[in-house]
Amino acid sequence: VNNTAKSDEPPLISGWKDEFALSDLKDASQAEAHRKAFAEEVQVLVDEIDYCKEHLWCPVLVVPPVPEMTRKYISREFAQAFVYDNIRAVQEKHPQVQLLSYYDDERFTDDMFNHGIFANKRGQELFSKILFSDVRKIFGGD
């Protein structure tokens, strides 16, 4: 066991590990134990999209930016298994719903975040500007 890595681990990462009973955020095989929860969450999103469509709204799926200081504790495979595979399951039921992923967008630097995940004022302003611009492009409003 590498105790140095543990001591350097941000509380956010430790909290996620504890909350979801994960050994780390690198081993994607842990997703298997969460399949039932994933299916439930996918269904919630599908239901929300159905509701939007019933009201003639145009939903968009968004993965917000995650700072590099946090992503270094999360493997690509883990993010794929825990996030993107579930988004794909939603899009299989609603293929017309766009995904805007800013997960590792280099425009968002570590100094734009507080507590390893929450965008600060500067990060919020940039994210809002980029997100609304990208949404306008999807729906032809720019």
Side-chain angles (χ1 to χ4, degrees):
V1 175
N2 183 348
N3 290 332
T4 306
K6 180 72 173 167
S7 66
D8 291 342
E9 187 176 85
L12 174 75
I13 299 297
S14 302
W16 286 343
K17 286 168 44 179
D18 292 344
E19 182 177 351
F20 301 107
L22 303 167
S23 61
D24 60 45
L25 277 65
K26 302 237 181 229
D27 179 6
S29 70
Q30 297 173 95
E32 196 54 43
H34 296 273
R35 290 290 169 218
K36 183 179 179 205
F38 291 161
E40 291 169 0
E41 294 304 316
V42 164
Q43 189 56 53
V44 167
L45 271 174
V46 167
D47 292 346
E48 289 173 347
I49 292 168
D50 289 341
Y51 180 85
C52 289
K53 297 198 148 296
E54 288 169 15
H55 289 84
L56 304 176
W57 300 337
C58 300
V60 176
L61 298 171
V62 178
V63 176
V66 175
E68 193 279 327
M69 68 178 122
T70 301
R71 287 194 325 268
K72 73 181 182 180
Y73 294 94
I74 306 168
S75 72
R76 276 262 177 225
E77 296 79 16
F78 187 93
Q80 182 66 46
F82 277 77
V83 178
Y84 292 101
D85 288 353
N86 294 297
I87 291 172
R88 188 185 72 238
V90 171
Q91 289 183 304
E92 285 171 0
K93 295 183 187 231
H94 286 289
Q96 73 286 4
V97 174
Q98 295 280 327
L99 169 64
L100 296 174
S101 180
Y102 303 95
Y103 177 77
D104 57 359
D105 189 315
E106 292 179 359
R107 294 174 288 186
F108 301 96
T109 55
D110 285 351
D111 64 331
M112 294 180 182
F113 295 89
N114 295 323
H115 310 292
I117 194 71
F118 302 107
N120 60 26
K121 184 175 183 195
R122 192 167 142 238
Q124 292 169 13
E125 289 172 353
L126 179 62
F127 181 60
S128 294
K129 179 181 175 185
I130 291 169
L131 176 63
F132 292 129
S133 174
D134 289 348
V135 167
R136 279 192 218 73
K137 289 173 189 171
I138 290 171
F139 297 109
D142 225 20

